[in-house]
Amino acid sequence: MESIVQALAGIVGKPYVSASAEERYFYGRDPGLMPAHAPDYVVLPRSVEEIQAIVRLAGREKIPLVPMGAGMSLSGLVIPQRGGIVLDMKRMDGILKVNEAARYAVVEGGTSTGKLHAHLNRYYPRLRFSTPDSPAAATVAANVMIHGQGRLTQQQGFNSDMVSGLEVVLPSGELCRIGSCALSDDWFSKGPPLPDLSGLFLGWFGATGILTKVGIKLYPRKKMRDVEIFITDSPDFVPGILYELTHTEMAEDINIFAQPLPLIFSGNHHIVIYFTGDSAEEMEFKKRTLFHALDGFIKSKDGGFMTVGEGMKKTLLDMPQRSATTFADVTKGGGFEYSGPIVPIDRYPQCSRKLDELAVKYDLKYHATARIIDKGHAMMFAFSFTFNRADADMLNRTRMALSEASEYALSIGGLFWKPTLDEQRIALEKMDPQTARLMKRIKEELDPQGIMNPGNWEGI
Amino acid sequence: MYQLKFDEKRCLACPDGACLVQCQYLKYEADPARKEMVKIFRGEDSPVLQDCVTCYACEEYCKRGNHPFYLINERRENKGILTAPRAITRQWIHIGEPKGKYELGRIGKIALSFGFMPQLKEITKGRLFDDVMPSYFFGQEFFCNVVYIHFANTKVFKERLPVVIENIHKLGVEEVVFLHDECYAAFTSLAPAYGMEVPFKSVHYFEYLYNRLTALKDLIRPLNVKVVYQRPCSNRLCGDSHLFVRKIMDRIGATLVQRTYQDETALCCGSIFRAMYGYDLMADVQGRNLEDMAQSGAEYCIFNCHGCMNALSPLVAARGMTPLHLIDLCRMAIGETPEGGR
Ligand SMILES: Cc1cc2nc3c(=O)[nH]c(=O)nc-3n(C[C@H](O)[C@H](O)[C@H](O)COP(=O)(O)OP(=O)(O)OC[C@H]3O[C@@H](n4cnc5c(N)ncnc54)[C@H](O)[C@@H]3O)c2cc1C
Ligand code: SF4
Ligand code: SF4
């Protein structure tokens, strides 16, 4: 053990390696609900070469290696299930380039979403990326690795759809570029018109390689941004409302929330519609179009636009939006976890009713949130619960509620998002066996020793 | 249960059918107007029940002591005719629900009522209020619940208003100065119309301000500004208070400029139209109103209701006028620098 610490220190320098109990305790868990498991070592590299050396060392010694961003994905994906090394990417936080004309940025594998957001705000006020609502420490690489969603997901798809190139350290220690950057230093496409190899890495949770650079597409940032909320008293109307709204192609982002507390929100479904523009005329045109799209629902009294006061507007327009983080501590005791399957938008009513049922069955505080993906092809529906970490019974009830929610979502045609190990297993079992075999062959080919984030997407 | 007092005979003998003839959203001549009100009273169907947009104005237009809008409201409720989307009504009912989170100042014989409008706490500062503050109350327990008449829902206020009256009575106040004119109207119009007894004296804050400005007249430096006033729907339920607007403006040296949509022809701020009917009615009413304000050459647009202020402030500002609450303007006249006046 001592020799591994020394070998790692030889690669990254002594201050950036630890095998101390405190560090191992801390790196053995995430803020979600999965059982902890401590790593043997924690290492914080600063360069691609250091990562290559660490991967080679891990391969030689057959030590598991778990890459980690901010550890905020909540479903245990950074918990080293079989010990080994946690590779904390936070020191790799550079913004390597921004190509303003071609609208993309290239960042290192540990650069936080907050840092990229601040950098663009400051130096490129006409550009933006699809900021997720996770705490600002969450990293760009991890967010695309888990197919995250952000402010532009309604328009552009999953955040991983907005990747424009990757640099990956393979489990062999070799360095590989994916997309246009494999042929030149231009990072405008992650694949097309070449075979798109990004699928060998995105969604694999580090089990097939470590992202050291990510090209991410940037989009026009308009001068003005506003928000309206359409409310309806039945989940059955929600898919139709979404269909009309997305048809206009006027919204930036569309989210939904429904929660029993505070009372003002009780019993209604709130469809939060963001829109942007460069002038008052453009804003008014978009607003009018969005309102008119829902005239039918207003006439039949099935829904209406609520008044959004200044305070609420400010909270909603915040980026990232902090209300999710505030909700996370409603039940004092700091526990927050959600199951956020990706489901077709017509399943909203079923998911909403299931959540009500689970909250009663397990006696938990809850809220539903959803984010529309790619103009309505699908939505992320979050079954969210808060809990008190000091209350073992509540913890257990939350676990059961979450697992029931996930299974339910799968049973109605949904897919797990950032699945836990158990959920990955269930998905592999349900999958077309030929697809599961292909995944297994990919994993075995890239990581024959099975050292990369072991447990994840291991074939059955 | 409380019954609305409405005298059909007054309609039958009504010379002008002013309620519907003056209505800015429906088109009626005197004779059909009268007939329609009688039909409505008798529980028959009427297009008015579908088309009235709840601007409250006919409560003021009827000079014969009837309550045309309250009647329309009653009949709509009986027939299950919705004005607002169900979700909007539900949300508002939740907003007004007492939650035990009220606030009491040091209550004296006279007290200020902030209803359930938190913004009112912020503007009742300075010399104008120092003879009554900190005697005030605030919270859903003291909220008039009149707003539900927009939603053709009389059940809520019939249930809640007597409790609110009792809550205020229990404070031991003799006189209440209402800073929200919907609250004032609840106790001077709605409650009497339904035969509810009000055991305290209700004073509209316009009257209170006027008297305070008179007492503090040595401090007044005429403002010499031109203003327009956005009259809220709720003021139609207490038209007597409206006279004070001009008197107050005269007192502080502000000129209330002449425009089309003022006094009895005032237009709604649009926020309730937006929630109940969508974009077009809101945009039409706001557009005409703002154009009229801009044409008048006013420097300030003065508000009485924070709902109107929320809806119109950015639009007013975009047309070069400063949006300001009436209280803030009065404070400026006595040399104070209110938040909103900066
Ligand atoms: C309050 C709250 C709100 C949230 N809102 C959103 C939201 O709006 N949208 C959204 O998408 N998510 C959201 N999330 C979920 C999550 O925080 C984000 O998706 C976040 O981007 C995850 O990044 P991370 O750096 O914390 O990932 P981590 O948890 O550190 O890592 C996630 C996965 O990526 C792997 N990984 C990390 N870095 C690398 C790398 N360089 N190479 C290879 N693999 C790597 C890890 O091994 C792990 O499997 C939210 C979370 C919270 C707590
Ligand atoms: S309500 Fe008043 S104005 Fe209307 S018809 Fe009756 S008496 Fe006349
Ligand atoms: S409330 Fe307004 S819209 Fe309705 S009838 Fe009376 S004046 Fe007309």
Side-chain angles (χ1 to χ4, degrees):
Chain A
M1 187 153 166
E2 197 45 44
S3 66
I4 302 290
V5 174
Q6 272 169 13
L8 287 170
I11 298 170
V12 296
K14 222 171 151 193
Y16 301 110
V17 185
S18 177
S20 73
E22 303 88 313
E23 233 89 51
R24 292 175 50 237
Y25 175 89
F26 180 72
Y27 279 93
R29 59 203 70 231
D30 74 6
L33 267 173
M34 291 296 118
H37 191 287
D40 301 305
Y41 319 95
V42 178
V43 58
L44 286 95
R46 180 61 205 104
S47 69
V48 176
E49 293 73 24
E50 288 177 9
I51 293 180
Q52 287 178 284
I54 295 165
V55 171
R56 289 197 173 109
L57 172 74
R60 259 193 330 269
E61 302 289 337
K62 300 197 177 29
I63 305 173
L65 191 57
V66 179
M68 174 192 170
M72 221 82 80
S73 51
L74 305 180
S75 46
L77 301 175
V78 293
I79 295 176
Q81 306 294 340
R82 296 177 198 157
I85 303 171
V86 167
L87 187 83
D88 185 333
M89 295 292 291
K90 282 188 206 66
R91 288 177 69 221
M92 305 267 298
D93 68 345
I95 292 168
L96 303 175
K97 86 168 169 187
V98 173
N99 184 328
E100 187 162 17
R103 291 201 181 103
Y104 67 78
V106 181
V107 300
E108 286 190 296
T111 305
S112 70
T113 51
K115 184 165 179 176
L116 180 58
H117 184 69
H119 185 82
L120 295 176
N121 274 357
R122 182 149 184 205
Y123 300 109
Y124 299 93
R126 298 188 67 201
L127 293 177
R128 60 187 296 204
F129 75 112
S130 181
T131 324
D133 287 320
S134 31
T139 61
V140 176
N143 187 255
V144 299
M145 175 55 78
I146 63 168
H147 294 304
Q149 307 105 46
R151 285 287 155 196
L152 294 172
T153 284
Q154 193 278 135
Q155 294 177 327
Q156 311 293 346
F158 288 96
N159 287 355
S160 46
D161 292 330
M162 299 174 224
V163 166
S164 65
L166 296 173
E167 182 188 82
V168 193
V169 172
L170 300 177
S172 61
E174 291 155 304
L175 190 66
C176 183
R177 283 193 170 189
I178 304 295
S180 58
C181 64
L183 283 80
S184 74
D185 213 24
D186 289 316
W187 290 63
F188 58 86
S189 168
K190 69 180 161 69
L194 308 174
D196 187 350
L197 300 179
S198 65
L200 296 174
F201 306 99
L202 298 177
W204 284 86
F205 309 139
T208 52
I210 294 163
L211 310 183
T212 47
K213 292 189 183 72
V214 175
I216 189 87
K217 290 183 188 170
L218 306 176
Y219 295 86
R221 177 168 155 184
K222 304 281 197 167
K223 292 186 193 133
M224 300 172 184
R225 190 159 176 263
D226 206 351
V227 59
E228 293 287 350
I229 304 181
F230 191 81
I231 61 178
T232 178
D233 59 346
S234 165
D236 295 328
F237 298 118
V238 172
I241 292 167
L242 293 174
Y243 189 77
E244 295 306 330
L245 285 174
T246 48
H247 181 84
T248 65
E249 297 192 307
M250 290 292 156
E252 174 214 51
D253 191 10
I254 304 177
N255 302 168
I256 310 172
F257 73 90
Q259 57 194 64
L261 288 171
L263 192 60
I264 177 176
F265 298 133
S266 174
N268 285 335
H269 300 262
H270 305 71
I271 298 156
V272 187
I273 310 153
Y274 296 86
F275 54 104
T276 60
D278 274 333
S279 63
E281 292 78 41
E282 188 181 349
M283 292 298 279
E284 199 55 34
F285 172 72
K286 287 186 172 171
K287 181 170 159 177
R288 183 170 62 234
T289 309
L290 289 163
F291 266 68
H292 280 160
L294 302 181
D295 271 348
F297 293 94
I298 298 174
K299 262 202 190 80
S300 59
K301 309 295 177 195
D302 293 328
F305 283 92
M306 66 175 258
T307 304
V308 187
E310 280 311 304
M312 187 172 195
K313 196 165 258 196
K314 205 164 160 289
T315 310
L316 290 170
L317 291 174
D318 241 9
M319 237 189 308
Q321 211 197 89
R322 272 157 255 238
S323 53
T325 321
T326 313
F327 170 73
D329 204 29
V330 165
T331 308
K332 296 297 167 200
F336 165 64
E337 174 66 292
Y338 60 94
S339 164
I342 310 297
V343 295
I345 61 168
D346 63 357
R347 314 294 143 84
Y348 181 89
Q350 284 117 295
C351 290
S352 164
R353 292 200 168 94
K354 184 71 187 180
L355 179 54
D356 290 342
E357 178 197 317
L358 292 172
V360 174
K361 179 168 169 189
Y362 294 105
D363 187 21
L364 291 168
K365 292 225 169 48
Y366 75 98
H367 79 168
T369 50
R371 170 169 267 145
I372 309 312
I373 300 170
D374 205 5
K375 299 185 189 74
H377 293 304
M379 64 165 64
M380 188 277 296
F381 184 100
F383 297 80
S384 309
F385 301 100
T386 66
F387 51 89
N388 180 351
R389 283 183 187 283
D391 182 336
D393 180 56
M394 190 186 273
L395 225 65
N396 200 34
R397 280 184 279 127
T398 311
R399 265 192 206 108
M400 291 193 292
L402 285 168
S403 133
E404 202 175 320
S406 299
E407 277 173 38
Y408 177 75
L410 198 70
S411 76
I412 58 164
L415 297 173
F416 299 132
W417 175 47
K418 56 185 179 68
T420 61
L421 291 188
D422 271 350
E423 290 170 341
Q424 291 176 35
R425 186 183 41 74
I426 296 171
L428 286 166
E429 276 166 11
K430 193 181 176 197
M431 202 179 279
D432 171 4
Q434 201 50 51
T435 315
R437 269 198 290 282
L438 177 62
M439 283 182 70
K440 188 174 160 74
R441 277 162 64 191
I442 290 169
K443 168 73 181 168
E444 282 171 0
E445 179 60 34
L446 285 171
D447 181 23
Q449 305 202 80
I451 56 164
M452 303 297 288
N453 207 354
N456 285 283
W457 294 127
E458 276 179 3
I460 41 164
Chain B
M1 205 25 139
Y2 298 100
Q3 293 291 330
L4 175 67
K5 294 178 190 161
F6 191 96
D7 187 352
E8 182 193 14
K9 289 195 285 302
R10 291 185 194 167
C11 295
L12 287 166
C14 179
D16 53 12
C19 53
L20 296 182
V21 170
Q22 278 186 259
C23 169
Q24 297 181 87
Y25 304 93
L26 311 176
K27 291 228 166 325
Y28 279 92
E29 304 288 333
D31 196 41
R34 250 186 322 260
K35 286 193 179 125
E36 220 54 48
M37 284 318 291
V38 172
K39 267 167 64 186
I40 293 170
F41 177 77
R42 292 178 181 170
E44 292 168 30
D45 284 340
S46 160
V48 174
L49 299 179
Q50 305 292 342
D51 300 339
C52 155
V53 296
T54 81
C55 80
Y56 296 3
C58 48
E59 279 297 309
E60 176 178 61
Y61 299 151
C62 172
K63 301 286 189 283
R64 297 170 59 78
N66 261 348
H67 291 288
F69 178 62
Y70 297 163
L71 179 71
I72 292 170
N73 213 22
E74 283 280 328
R75 295 298 182 261
R76 276 175 159 163
E77 187 172 38
N78 295 345
K79 292 177 185 288
I81 298 172
L82 300 184
T83 54
R86 297 178 303 276
I88 298 280
T89 306
R90 172 183 277 175
Q91 187 185 60
W92 275 91
I93 291 175
H94 287 328
I95 290 174
E97 170 116 12
K99 300 184 183 72
K101 288 187 178 166
Y102 57 88
E103 266 179 48
L104 297 180
R106 255 197 336 260
I107 301 286
K109 291 282 165 226
I110 304 176
L112 294 183
S113 161
F114 300 146
F116 186 50
M117 307 281 278
Q119 303 93 330
L120 293 173
K121 282 196 291 184
E122 301 307 314
I123 57 167
T124 40
K125 294 187 175 145
R127 295 286 314 264
L128 290 171
F129 297 95
D130 65 3
D131 67 332
V132 51
M133 281 296 268
S135 173
Y136 74 90
F137 51 86
F138 163 81
Q140 283 116 324
E141 279 70 8
F142 306 107
F143 173 57
C144 63
N145 291 283
V146 172
V147 65
Y148 305 111
I149 61 178
H150 276 303
F151 309 137
N153 188 322
T154 69
K155 268 195 220 84
V156 184
F157 77 75
K158 282 178 190 162
E159 242 170 67
R160 290 185 186 169
L161 195 53
V163 182
V164 172
I165 292 174
E166 187 52 28
N167 288 346
I168 297 177
H169 183 50
K170 279 198 283 205
L171 297 176
V173 288
E174 287 167 9
E175 191 174 310
V176 182
V177 179
F178 290 97
L179 282 129
H180 180 210
D181 51 13
E182 208 156 79
C183 285
Y184 173 77
F187 305 105
T188 55
S189 166
L190 197 66
Y194 279 91
M196 297 176 195
E197 260 182 58
V198 180
F200 46 82
K201 183 180 171 206
S202 303
V203 177
H204 194 283
Y205 81 98
F206 285 175
E207 185 179 349
Y208 170 85
L209 273 182
Y210 180 74
N211 291 337
R212 279 301 285 161
L213 288 165
T214 307
L216 299 171
K217 65 177 182 307
D218 293 345
L219 295 178
I220 296 176
R221 298 284 167 271
L223 289 169
N224 293 321
V225 290
K226 288 196 228 165
V227 305
V228 284
Y229 167 61
Q230 170 59 33
R231 189 177 183 204
C233 53
S234 50
N235 198 255
R236 306 297 194 138
L237 308 181
C238 51
D240 55 329
S241 66
H242 181 60
L243 299 172
F244 282 99
V245 175
R246 202 165 290 276
K247 286 169 80 171
I248 291 170
M249 293 304 136
D250 286 348
R251 177 117 291 168
I252 61 177
T255 310
L256 197 57
V257 291
Q258 191 60 32
R259 66 180 187 114
T260 309
Y261 301 120
Q262 63 180 18
D263 304 323
E264 287 203 344
T265 52
L267 284 177
C268 161
C269 71
S271 72
I272 212 81
F273 289 171
R274 169 191 197 280
M276 303 204 314
Y277 308 106
Y279 188 88
D280 290 342
L281 183 60
M282 167 198 73
D284 169 58
V285 168
Q286 286 184 344
R288 283 190 286 135
N289 197 4
L290 286 161
E291 188 53 31
D292 185 43
M293 287 182 189
Q295 291 294 327
S296 74
E299 300 151 83
Y300 288 88
C301 174
I302 301 307
F303 291 95
N304 163 9
C305 160
H306 277 94
C308 300
M309 209 163 165
N310 191 29
L312 292 182
S313 284
L315 304 176
V316 160
R319 294 192 178 238
M321 290 167 278
T322 305
L324 202 64
H325 196 279
L326 189 137
I327 290 174
D328 282 347
L329 192 75
C330 293
R331 289 188 62 197
M332 281 164 61
I334 58 164
E336 295 179 358
T337 315
E339 226 24 54
R342 278 193 198 128

